[in-house]
């Protein structure tokens, strides 16, 4: 069960008495909760039949009483419990979940983790609820997800612009969605989103970004790589530091995969790079510029410097300083 399938069933007026939304990825949980709050009931019905509770301040008895009420002048009522992971005595909801009211749609948002499967509540939830486990999207899935989200808004995006958007923001779906919303307000529907649009409306420099840093590594342009890192150091809001090393690590891992492939044709390599022909050509340049041993060495360095970036054996060095070190060690081993 996905967020999309839950919302699709609601659009068809198909409802279950209890929905339990849990997991690490908050974006999809918020997507379901926002739809439930604003779309299931009409505005007039919601004034009488929508109850919203927040876990930190919620009282279990009040929630159960709200769930056991019958709807007023409507077929159903909606009860939302947001931030349920912060609620005390949440296990006391088990009695209602075991025997829910058919005319109530009770939706629980339990973010950041999952219930202990050994608990009585978890067993009752599994038995009686429509459970949605919201998992984090892997870094290599981000371009496909962002591209799908953009298409759902009625737009297309150029491959390089997509790479620039994702590499700049990283694995933050809410922020990616917000930036796409910003783009949709400034671009005519049906147009292809370009690198210039990303630069103009999101504020990502066309010359100084993670994508261009990756290109500098591919062609072993040490001077360009250091210029980009120097720009990041002077403009810390221009890049999300957290995305840099994972992006480069993921890229070099793909180059390592190419070294191990017998078929290095464009057709064979495209699935590695989300069918982006430009990315394939750049990867082949990196493949020619780095031996198998150099790629292995680089991957080990990315792991080592990722630990240093979070304070392990870094001796207080700043992130830009660490990036300058690793750049020289990889491009000029």
């Amino acid at each position: 069960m996905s967020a999309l399938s839950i919302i699709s069933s609601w659009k068809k007026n198909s409802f279950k008495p209890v929905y339990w939304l849990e997991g690490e990825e908050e974006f999809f949980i918020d997507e379901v909760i926002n739809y439930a709050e604003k779309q299931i009931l009409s505005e007039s019905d919601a004034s009488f039949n929508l109850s919203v509770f927040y876990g930190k301040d919620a009282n279990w008895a009040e929630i159960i009483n709200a769930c056991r009420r019958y709807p007023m002048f409507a077929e159903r009522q909606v009860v939302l419990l947001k931030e349920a992971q912060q609620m005390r005595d949440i296990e006391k909801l088990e009695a209602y979940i075991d025997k829910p009211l058919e005319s109530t749609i009770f939706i629980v948002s339990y973010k950041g983790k999952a219930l202990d499967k050994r608990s009585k509540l978890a067993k009752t939830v599994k038995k009686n609820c429509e459970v949605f486990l919201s998992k984090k999207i892997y870094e290599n899935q981000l371009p496909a997800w962002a591209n799908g989200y953009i298409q759902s808004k009625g737009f297309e995006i150029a491959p390089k612009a997509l790479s620039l958007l994702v590499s700049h923001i990283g694995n933050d779906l809410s922020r990616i969605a917000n930036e796409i919303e910003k783009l949709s307000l400034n671009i005519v529907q049906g147009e292809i989103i370009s690198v210039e649009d990303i630069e103009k409306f999101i504020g990502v420099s066309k010359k100084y970004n993670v994508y261009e840093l990756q290109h500098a590594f591919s062609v072993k342009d040490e001077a360009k790589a250091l210029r980009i890192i120097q720009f990041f150091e002077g403009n810390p809001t221009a890049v999300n530091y957290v995305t840099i090393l994972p992006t480069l690590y993921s890229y070099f891992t793909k180059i390592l995969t190419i070294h191990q492939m017998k078929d290095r044709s464009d057709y064979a390599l495209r699935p590695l790079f989300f069918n982006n022909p430009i990315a394939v050509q750049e990867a082949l340049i990196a493949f020619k510029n780095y031996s198998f041993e150099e790629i292995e060495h680089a991957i080990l360095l990315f792991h080592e410097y990722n630990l240093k970036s979070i304070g392990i054996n870094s001796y207080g060095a700043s992130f830009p300083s660490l990036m300058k070190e690793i750049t020289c060690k990889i491009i000029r081993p």
Side-chain angles (χ1 to χ4, degrees), residues 6 10 15-21 67 79 93-94 96-102 104-108 121 124-125 127-132:
I6 290 173
W10 289 349
F15 301 98
K16 299 291 178 64
V18 186
Y19 293 85
W20 189 277
L21 321 173
C67 288
V79 178
L93 297 178
E94 188 268 336
Y96 174 78
I97 293 173
D98 189 42
K99 294 180 180 179
L101 204 64
E102 288 291 331
T104 294
I105 305 169
F106 182 34
I107 306 168
V108 181
L121 174 60
T124 304
V125 164
K127 178 184 174 184
N128 289 358
C129 298
E130 191 72 61
V131 179
F132 168 50

Side-chain angles (χ1 to χ4, degrees), residues 82-95:
K82 300 181 179 183
E83 309 294 342
Q85 72 279 1
Q86 298 179 5
M87 182 181 169
R88 297 178 183 177
D89 300 326
I90 191 170
E91 67 279 356
K92 291 186 177 179
L93 297 178
E94 188 268 336

Side-chain angles (χ1 to χ4, degrees), residues 258-319:
I258 294 174
H259 270 284
Q260 297 168 321
M261 295 172 67
K262 291 182 180 180
D263 182 1
R264 300 187 185 111
S265 65
D266 183 81
Y267 177 80
L269 296 183
R270 280 199 177 199
L272 278 175
F273 299 93
F274 312 103
N275 293 312
N276 182 344
I278 298 173
V280 170
Q281 293 307 310
E282 183 170 303
L284 286 172
I285 293 171
F287 164 74
K288 293 174 183 177
N289 283 335
Y290 291 90
S291 68
F292 183 86
E293 291 74 20
E294 286 176 321
I295 293 290
E296 280 191 320
H297 174 66
I299 289 172
L300 290 172
L301 283 172
F302 286 131
H303 178 68
E304 176 189 344
Y305 275 76
N306 187 52
L307 292 175
K308 287 186 176 184
S309 72
I310 59 175
I312 299 174
N313 298 324
S314 66
Y315 310 107
S318 67
F319 186 81

Side-chain angles (χ1 to χ4, degrees), residues 24-42:
E24 294 182 357
E25 182 50 71
E26 297 186 2
F27 176 81
F28 298 119
I29 294 175
D30 287 339
E31 195 173 34
V32 175
I33 286 288
N34 288 339
Y35 186 94
E37 186 170 2
K38 297 173 183 177
Q39 302 294 332
I40 290 180
L41 300 174
S42 67

Side-chain angles (χ1 to χ4, degrees), residues 160 163-164 167 209-216 276 278-279 282:
K160 191 171 181 179
S163 297
L164 185 57
S167 63
N209 56 70
V210 179
Y211 183 85
E212 289 300 322
L213 180 61
Q214 176 181 292
H215 175 74
N276 182 344
I278 298 173
E282 183 170 303

Side-chain angles (χ1 to χ4, degrees), residues 119-303:
S119 68
K120 186 178 180 183
L121 174 60
K123 292 174 183 176
T124 304
V125 164
K126 183 178 179 181
K127 178 184 174 184
N128 289 358
C129 298
E130 191 72 61
V131 179
F132 168 50
L133 178 59
S134 186
K135 296 180 180 179
K136 278 282 186 185
I137 284 184
Y138 293 117
E139 294 285 342
N140 62 357
Q141 297 173 318
L142 281 175
W145 180 85
N147 191 43
Y149 192 84
I150 288 167
Q151 290 178 348
S152 74
K153 299 294 180 181
F155 296 91
E156 297 289 332
I157 186 167
K160 191 171 181 179
L162 178 63
S163 297
L164 185 57
L165 173 68
V166 171
S167 63
H168 174 69
I169 298 174
N171 198 349
D172 185 339
L173 301 192
S174 295
R175 190 176 164 206
I176 291 175
N178 287 338
E179 296 296 358
I180 291 171
E181 292 294 339
K182 189 189 301 182
L183 285 167
S184 70
L185 295 174
N186 291 282
I187 297 173
V188 177
Q189 197 159 25
E191 286 189 355
I192 296 176
I193 298 169
S194 65
V195 170
E196 287 72 23
D197 294 324
I198 301 295
E199 182 180 24
K200 181 178 179 181
F201 299 116
I202 296 181
V204 184
S205 170
K206 187 164 59 176
K207 293 182 179 179
Y208 302 103
N209 56 70
V210 179
Y211 183 85
E212 289 300 322
L213 180 61
Q214 176 181 292
H215 175 74
F217 272 87
S218 295
V219 297
K220 285 195 168 183
D221 189 339
E222 182 182 1
K224 180 180 178 180
L226 291 175
R227 280 199 307 273
I228 293 171
I229 295 165
Q230 191 70 35
F231 176 84
F232 291 163
E233 188 172 20
N235 301 271
T237 59
V239 67
N240 182 356
Y241 282 153
V242 176
T243 68
I244 296 177
L245 286 173
T247 298
L248 293 174
Y249 176 86
S250 175
Y251 181 67
F252 272 73
T253 301
K254 290 176 182 176
I255 307 305
L256 186 68
T257 301
I258 294 174
H259 270 284
Q260 297 168 321
M261 295 172 67
K262 291 182 180 180
D263 182 1
R264 300 187 185 111
S265 65
D266 183 81
Y267 177 80
L269 296 183
R270 280 199 177 199
L272 278 175
F273 299 93
F274 312 103
N275 293 312
N276 182 344
I278 298 173
V280 170
Q281 293 307 310
E282 183 170 303
L284 286 172
I285 293 171
F287 164 74
K288 293 174 183 177
N289 283 335
Y290 291 90
S291 68
F292 183 86
E293 291 74 20
E294 286 176 321
I295 293 290
E296 280 191 320
H297 174 66
I299 289 172
L300 290 172
L301 283 172
F302 286 131
H303 178 68

